[in-house]
Amino acid sequence: MSSKNNVTYLMKPDGSKHSSFSMQNSLSGAKLMSEKIVSALEAMQLNNVVIGLEATSIYGDGLVCALREDGRLGRYHRKIHVLNPKQVKKFKDSYSDLPKNDWVDAFVIADHLRFGRIGKEVYIDDYRYKSLQTLTRARFDVVQSLTREKQHFANYLFLKCSGMAQDKDIANSSATTIALMERFETVDELAYADLDDLTAFIAKSGRGRFANPEATARAVQTAAIGSYRLTKTVNDSVNQAMSVSIATMRALEKQIKVLDKAIEQQVRVIPNTLTSIPGIGKVYSASIIAEIGDVHRFNSQASVAKYAGLVWTQHQSGDFEAQHTKLIKSGNRYLRYYFLEAANSVRRCDSEFRRYYDLKFKEVNQFQHKRALALTARKLVRLVYRLLMSNRLYIPPEG
């Protein structure tokens, strides 16, 4: 697959070559490909065909849709698989000294399909899930952009007021911090501002979230007094860069709200019971469902966990087995992200998940939160699978 062309290798059931060709990655190219496939099936008097392509960004989505909707190909029993590039690479490693080019890769994919070991079709053929997936993945990308922009703002904050950036009790990208940076041009203005005025400004900016605005104002001024001082020229440039960063963050936050609203509307056409889990709202439930699709595609909750990349590698030899291993690097990164985010929300709202998270948090001295959250997400996978399979509501444990 590429943005311009698709290289196809037609393999007979015995592994011999029927033909290979390259077509333009377009609707007309897909029709020609379908014609060649149908012609080959008629010539060999076959009724079954297995089609596979390597997942290459979004370049295969249009082709898969065209092949699924093609009436001539629909007369045959056909399966379409979108394969993980790692899966194809590992299969290719079994051959020695194969070159790297599209024609060879097409042969490897065809041979991998011939050998089997691939279960149900992994492409989501229900377009409700696909349309929802487009929105949830767009949201993921915007959230990642917002996270990066917040880091940029934190860097500018350190330049302008290093003390505030270093103080763990002052959130770097909170609305109050942003308001302070917009209100005060220099760190000296902030450090020596009237305490009553600063307290009133913080109380207003915080919208009543601060239990003791005066104490917060004193902490901010203390941090400002201990900060580095910049020359006027450098300070002005930092203010300009910070202004752009603030505008970018606000625009991204607005985009997230727009996407959240669209996701909530789209998920209405897909019945689910995941919103019955405390802490999982419409957006998180929709995002998980969009990636899983029809849960019956998976044989077990372990299959869902592996698909999400929420399983750990095994390191065992003889009588030795490592106790500390890492999460596998493969898996659906979108599904893994939303499971982790949902688990972080659920553990705050559900007593059973909170107890489990706290237990795992205390088991180690390093990477406590990341490890405990990943294990909690793995526990959430089991619950999600059970609810989707049974179509039942979640009943929280008593107490």
Side-chain angles (χ1 to χ4, degrees):
M1 304 295 305
S2 71
S3 61
K4 293 183 178 180
N5 300 301
N6 299 322
V7 175
T8 306
Y9 187 102
L10 298 186
M11 182 176 288
K12 298 178 181 179
D14 62 2
S16 60
K17 179 179 179 180
H18 177 276
S19 60
S20 61
F21 49 87
S22 177
M23 292 291 183
Q24 187 178 5
N25 192 355
S26 64
L27 180 59
S28 59
K31 289 181 178 179
L32 287 174
M33 181 187 297
S34 178
E35 289 176 3
K36 287 182 175 291
I37 294 173
V38 170
S39 176
L41 290 171
E42 290 176 347
M44 291 184 284
Q45 296 183 340
L46 297 174
N47 292 319
N48 300 329
V49 59
V50 183
I51 303 171
L53 59 146
E54 187 176 87
T56 311
S57 185
I58 44 85
Y59 297 137
D61 289 0
L63 176 62
V64 172
C65 182
L67 293 176
R68 295 195 71 88
E69 298 297 325
D70 189 282
R72 294 162 298 179
L73 199 57
R75 297 195 299 267
Y76 297 87
H77 180 67
R78 51 103 177 95
K79 289 184 178 180
I80 301 177
H81 297 284
V82 181
L83 304 177
N84 189 314
K86 181 180 178 181
Q87 186 179 3
V88 177
K89 181 181 182 303
K90 291 296 184 182
F91 184 84
K92 185 178 180 180
D93 289 343
S94 62
Y95 296 91
S96 59
D97 303 325
L98 278 182
K100 176 68 178 77
N101 61 62
D102 291 342
W103 299 92
V104 170
D105 290 347
F107 157 77
V108 171
I109 292 172
D111 212 28
H112 186 25
L113 296 175
R114 184 175 70 90
F115 272 87
R117 295 287 182 180
I118 303 173
K120 301 177 182 178
E121 292 178 86
V122 296
Y123 184 78
I124 299 177
D125 58 353
D126 190 326
Y127 296 130
R128 295 178 303 169
Y129 295 114
K130 193 63 182 176
S131 59
L132 185 60
Q133 188 182 89
T134 300
L135 295 173
T136 56
R137 290 189 175 188
R139 183 185 185 277
F140 170 87
D141 292 333
V142 176
V143 170
Q144 299 306 303
S145 297
L146 179 59
T147 300
R148 288 191 295 269
E149 196 57 49
K150 285 183 177 180
Q151 183 56 55
H152 294 158
F153 178 80
N155 294 339
Y156 298 137
L157 179 64
F158 185 89
L159 288 173
K160 182 174 179 177
C161 189
S162 57
M164 284 186 64
Q166 292 169 330
D167 193 329
K168 294 182 179 180
D169 294 329
I170 302 175
N172 282 353
S173 57
S174 69
T176 302
T177 301
I178 292 174
L180 287 170
M181 292 301 101
E182 289 181 309
R183 169 66 177 78
F184 297 95
E185 291 289 328
T186 66
V187 68
D188 281 331
E189 289 183 18
L190 177 59
Y192 303 108
D194 181 80
L195 183 60
D196 292 337
D197 292 341
L198 182 59
T199 300
F201 182 81
I202 288 176
K204 182 180 179 181
S205 301
R207 296 181 180 180
R209 294 188 182 94
F210 295 104
N212 191 341
E214 183 177 347
T216 303
R218 291 183 184 277
V220 167
Q221 285 198 321
T222 300
I225 291 171
S227 298
Y228 290 108
R229 264 52 176 179
L230 301 176
T231 62
K232 185 180 185 308
T233 302
V234 176
N235 187 78
D236 289 345
S237 65
V238 170
N239 281 335
Q240 291 175 341
M242 184 175 280
S243 176
V244 172
S245 182
I246 291 170
T248 302
M249 286 191 293
R250 287 173 175 163
L252 291 172
E253 288 169 349
K254 185 177 180 180
Q255 290 175 16
I256 292 173
K257 290 180 180 179
V258 171
L259 286 170
D260 284 352
K261 185 176 181 180
I263 290 169
E264 290 175 5
Q265 292 177 341
Q266 186 70 36
V267 77
R268 292 175 183 173
V269 300
I270 306 177
N272 77 88
T273 58
L274 298 188
T275 52
S276 64
I277 304 174
I280 295 187
K282 292 181 180 179
V283 172
Y284 284 160
S285 65
S287 302
I288 291 172
I289 290 170
E291 298 301 331
I292 292 178
D294 183 356
V295 71
H296 294 92
R297 298 190 302 141
F298 299 93
N299 296 324
S300 65
Q301 54 84 19
S303 300
V304 177
K306 186 175 182 180
Y307 181 62
L310 287 172
V311 295
W312 285 258
T313 57
Q314 184 183 29
H315 185 190
Q316 181 270 335
S317 179
D319 295 332
F320 169 79
E321 183 162 2
Q323 297 298 312
H324 302 287
T325 57
K326 297 180 179 179
L327 282 170
I328 61 174
K329 294 183 179 180
S330 59
N332 185 316
R333 63 183 181 131
Y334 301 102
L335 185 57
R336 179 168 56 246
Y337 166 81
Y338 281 115
F339 260 124
L340 289 170
E341 289 294 303
N344 198 34
S345 179
V346 171
R347 60 107 178 174
R348 297 191 183 103
C349 303
D350 183 83
S351 60
E352 170 61 22
F353 279 88
R354 181 166 57 250
R355 182 199 63 79
Y356 183 81
Y357 171 88
D358 292 340
L359 177 65
K360 297 303 176 182
F361 188 92
K362 296 174 183 177
E363 286 182 347
V364 295
N365 296 322
Q366 287 185 315
F367 312 113
Q368 294 168 302
H369 173 67
K370 285 186 176 181
R371 177 181 180 273
L373 186 60
L375 289 167
T376 305
R378 181 63 182 85
K379 178 179 175 67
L380 182 61
V381 170
R382 292 191 286 270
L383 176 59
V384 166
Y385 181 79
R386 187 165 68 249
L387 293 183
L388 291 178
M389 286 294 290
S390 63
N391 196 33
R392 293 182 180 178
L393 298 175
Y394 174 64
I395 302 176
E398 296 182 3

